[in-house]
Amino acid sequence: MKKWYRDYGLQARMVLTMLLLAGLYLIFLVVLSEYGGIGTYGLMVFAGFFLLIQFFFSDKFALWSMGGRIVSEQEEPRLHETVSRLCAIADLPKPKIAIVDSNIPNAFATGRSKDSAVVAVTTSLKQKLSQPELEAVLAHELSHVKNRDMLVITIASFLSTVAFFLVRNMLFFGMGGGNRDRDRGAGAAIIVFVISLAVWIISFLLIRALSRYREFAADRGSAVITGQPKHLASALMTISGVMERVPSRDLREVEGMNAFFIIPAISGDLIMNLFSTHPTVGARIRALEDMERKMEF
């Protein structure tokens, strides 16, 4: 196994983001404890159950939503051989491999652990990329598995989901019960609503930032596994160029999977980087070029 490349600046940003999330959620729990009622705790239990279902069945849901299917070694011998070789280098158990019949060149990894992971590629990706580029993309997805990104993002998003449910519950069902309860609890309800809304918005932005850092980490993992950062940079440019020619209707159909993709499928002409799950392609390529220069010495 090759020595895993450590980018301490990137790791520091990820740790800082997690600490900010932890601090935000601690404040949120204090407010709920002080002003929330029994219904609030029930809502938290419901949100926890919802996220557990998402966590344990995310791989099946992701494949189902994309129309992907698990393929055997007999069906895709070259793909299986490539993944097996990369897993040996990365010291990973071999994941299941899936193919998605799509004209959008992309790949994604899902699964709650290294032993239950699935790596999927689209038919368009196989057609558009050279073998070295395809290997670099597969190594990127395997890096997500090695870094346990599904676990990290699920944990980070737990109380954000609770806050979202609280906001929606209060908007649609009101903030109080009878007249007496309403008069007595209006102030507490407003506090919970405002704090929940703030937690939801701030955590949404922090989780997006965390997701972008994880993409940089997976890019670096790909460079370590393959030893060739330029191949992933080339693959990103190829995928990005093809994506621009894909009809907007096709992109909109898979936008819900953007957090999983190596490059998000975006139907609009402009997206604010602040809300994106991924860094810009240009930023990722510059980081890979920097790694290429460091590896030369």
Side-chain angles (χ1 to χ4, degrees), residues 69 71 75-80 97-100 102 104-107 120-131 133-134 137-138 239:
R69 63 182 183 88
V71 293
E75 293 175 283
E76 290 287 343
R78 190 174 186 183
L79 193 57
H80 271 268
I97 299 174
I99 294 292
V100 178
S102 172
I104 299 173
N106 234 313
V121 298
T122 65
T123 50
S124 177
L125 187 81
K126 289 180 58 187
Q127 295 166 0
K128 301 296 183 184
L129 298 187
S130 66
Q131 180 62 21
E133 290 173 336
L134 180 60
V137 169
L138 290 170
I239 296 170

Side-chain angles (χ1 to χ4, degrees), residues 276-297:
S276 177
T277 56
H278 289 59
T280 64
V281 172
R284 295 170 71 179
I285 289 174
R286 287 192 295 272
L288 288 165
E289 289 173 344
D290 183 58
M291 272 202 74
E292 184 84 29
R293 287 191 294 270
K294 289 178 180 178
M295 284 182 170
E296 290 175 355
F297 292 101

Side-chain angles (χ1 to χ4, degrees), residues 1 4 83-84 86-95 114 141-143 145-147 225:
M1 183 185 71
W4 204 242
V83 172
S84 295
L86 294 173
C87 285
I89 297 172
D91 191 26
L92 278 172
K94 183 182 175 183
K114 296 177 182 180
E141 300 305 331
L142 290 174
S143 296
V145 176
K146 188 175 182 70
N147 294 335
I225 293 171

Side-chain angles (χ1 to χ4, degrees), residues 5 11 14 90 138 150 158 163 167 196 228 283 289 293-294:
Y5 180 85
Q11 289 181 339
M14 286 193 289
L138 290 170
M150 176 59 69
F158 171 66
V167 171
S196 298
Q228 297 289 340
E289 289 173 344
R293 287 191 294 270
K294 289 178 180 178

Side-chain angles (χ1 to χ4, degrees), residues 227-296:
Q228 297 289 340
K230 63 184 178 182
H231 290 161
L232 182 59
S234 175
L236 292 175
M237 286 189 287
T238 300
I239 296 170
S240 178
V242 174
M243 199 87 72
E244 293 175 357
R245 300 193 295 273
V246 175
S248 295
R249 183 185 64 181
D250 294 345
L251 294 177
R252 282 194 296 269
E253 289 179 354
V254 298
E255 279 182 331
M257 286 288 294
N258 276 345
F260 291 89
F261 288 154
I262 188 169
I263 288 183
I266 301 169
S267 59
D269 296 327
L270 178 66
I271 183 169
M272 294 176 63
N273 187 51
L274 185 65
F275 297 103
S276 177
T277 56
H278 289 59
T280 64
V281 172
R284 295 170 71 179
I285 289 174
R286 287 192 295 272
L288 288 165
E289 289 173 344
D290 183 58
M291 272 202 74
E292 184 84 29
R293 287 191 294 270
K294 289 178 180 178
M295 284 182 170
E296 290 175 355

